[in-house]
Amino acid sequence: MTMIVLAIILPALLYVALSLPVVHNGIREKCENLLSNKLGVEVTIGDLGIRPFNRALLRDVALVNDGDTILIAKRLGTGINIFELLKGEIAFDYAELTGIDIRLRKDSPDAPLNIQPIIDALTKKEKDKEPSKFDIRINTV
């Protein structure tokens, strides 16, 4: 009987929970905060939709650095490792981009690119540093 509950009822309850707008907003806000902190630029997500149990669709994603828009994506589909999500961590394992507008620029020939904060954030600095809660593993783009 316990196995039936675990095999049928638990996934059904999880599906219903992941379909609630309040859950979507909470996950969207957590993604914005984690991505902003990790990338060193402001990340905004207009809307988040979850397709249980391992996909999310982000709409109207923007990366902004000091008022300068670096990237706008109409849709960003991501694969989410559900087991990591249940542990309170977010791990993306693939990305799908559509309607993307990337704006690379330099203020002067000697100035860094406007995406330099992102490059710096993604560059490994310390070999013995403890891993962060945010993990990016992209197998397919």
Side-chain angles (χ1 to χ4, degrees):
M1 181 68 165
T2 303
M3 294 303 284
I4 292 172
V5 169
L6 290 175
I8 297 172
I9 295 176
L10 186 61
L13 289 174
L14 186 58
Y15 180 84
V16 170
L18 288 174
S19 300
L20 297 173
V22 68
V23 173
H24 287 198
N25 286 334
I27 294 171
R28 179 187 54 77
E29 289 173 7
K30 185 169 184 174
C31 287
E32 284 178 338
N33 291 334
L34 285 171
L35 287 169
S36 293
N37 290 336
K38 178 65 178 174
L39 298 177
V41 297
E42 179 186 356
V43 177
T44 60
I45 301 168
D47 185 39
L48 177 131
I50 297 176
R51 295 183 184 150
F53 285 98
N54 65 348
R55 288 192 74 203
L57 179 63
L58 309 175
R59 291 179 193 87
D60 301 320
V61 178
L63 277 64
V64 178
N65 183 26
D66 294 328
D68 180 24
T69 302
I70 299 169
L71 176 140
I72 298 172
K74 289 294 180 191
R75 286 178 36 143
L76 171 61
T78 60
I80 299 174
N81 184 321
I82 192 72
F83 298 110
E84 299 290 330
L85 188 62
L86 293 174
K87 293 189 306 187
E89 299 177 8
I90 299 174
F92 300 107
D93 54 18
Y94 84 92
E96 170 187 341
L97 300 166
T98 55
I100 192 165
D101 180 11
I102 299 175
R103 301 172 186 178
L104 300 177
R105 68 171 187 76
K106 287 182 161 191
D107 289 334
S108 67
D110 296 329
L113 280 170
N114 60 340
I115 62 168
Q116 192 61 46
I118 297 171
I119 293 169
D120 293 342
L122 296 176
T123 302
K124 189 173 183 178
K125 295 171 185 70
E126 301 173 26
K127 290 183 180 181
D128 298 330
K129 185 178 177 185
E130 187 173 319
S132 65
K133 282 189 163 187
F134 186 79
D135 186 17
I136 298 176
R137 292 183 304 263
I138 300 176
N139 298 327
T140 306
V141 175

